[in-house]
Amino acid sequence: FFFFFRLGLNNRFLSTKKMAGSTSEFRRMVHQLLSEDDKAFLHHVLSDFKTFRSVPKLVAGLKEVLDTPAKLDLLRQIRPQLPARSEVRAAFDKLAPYKLMAHPMTVDELKAQNTATAAAASAAAATA
């Protein structure tokens, strides 16, 4: 079911080890927090994003399925999978309800995540 990490949204920027950690944490949280109906809806939301690349539609769908502060903590695993070098992640950051998360992401954390993604992309480009 965990299609999100197979969407190819940001796979080239992440190391295999980091991807494995992100995937297992995402799976654990999804299993713990979401009902089967929520999982199916999340799949639909993420599949639509893969097809249409509409950030407003993605965030609206995520807000609908991630309807508690604990569920919104999944944004922490979803965000790094979005392309960092385009307007996609910036648009996501403007619309995502980070302040409503059980453990809100800070501006410093968002910047650090961007820096880590850029460093991983540089390392991948250097080895290619």
Side-chain angles (χ1 to χ4, degrees), residues 27-39:
R27 286 181 181 177
R28 184 191 66 74
M29 288 181 72
V30 166
H31 179 72
Q32 181 180 8
L33 298 171
L34 301 183
S35 69
E36 291 304 314
D37 288 342
D38 286 344
K39 290 175 191 175

Side-chain angles (χ1 to χ4, degrees), residues 1 3 38-50 57:
F1 168 77
F3 50 86
D38 286 344
K39 290 175 191 175
F41 188 72
L42 179 62
H43 179 269
H44 172 75
V45 167
L46 297 173
S47 294
D48 272 1
F49 178 71
K50 181 181 178 186
K57 188 174 180 179

Side-chain angles (χ1 to χ4, degrees), residues 3-126:
F3 50 86
F4 183 63
F5 291 95
R6 290 183 292 213
L7 287 179
L9 296 178
N10 201 24
N11 291 352
R12 68 182 180 273
F13 297 119
L14 297 176
S15 69
T16 304
K17 187 180 281 188
K18 183 174 180 181
M19 180 64 84
S22 296
T23 301
S24 71
E25 179 66 9
F26 184 73
R27 286 181 181 177
R28 184 191 66 74
M29 288 181 72
V30 166
H31 179 72
Q32 181 180 8
L33 298 171
L34 301 183
S35 69
E36 291 304 314
D37 288 342
D38 286 344
K39 290 175 191 175
F41 188 72
L42 179 62
H43 179 269
H44 172 75
V45 167
L46 297 173
S47 294
D48 272 1
F49 178 71
K50 181 181 178 186
T51 301
F52 301 109
R53 301 290 181 165
S54 170
V55 174
K57 188 174 180 179
L58 170 65
V59 173
L62 289 174
K63 284 179 181 179
E64 192 171 329
V65 72
L66 305 179
D67 57 358
T68 67
K71 290 178 184 179
L72 283 168
D73 279 353
L74 284 166
L75 295 174
R76 192 176 307 281
Q77 279 71 42
I78 293 170
R79 183 186 182 271
Q81 306 309 314
L82 300 172
R85 293 188 178 201
S86 68
E87 295 79 36
V88 172
R89 194 177 291 176
F92 185 82
D93 287 344
K94 287 180 184 175
L95 298 172
Y98 296 128
K99 291 180 181 179
L100 299 178
M101 294 168 65
H103 304 93
M105 293 177 71
T106 65
V107 172
D108 290 340
E109 188 176 356
L110 295 172
K111 288 178 184 177
Q113 215 176 58
N114 287 341
T115 301
T117 302
S122 295

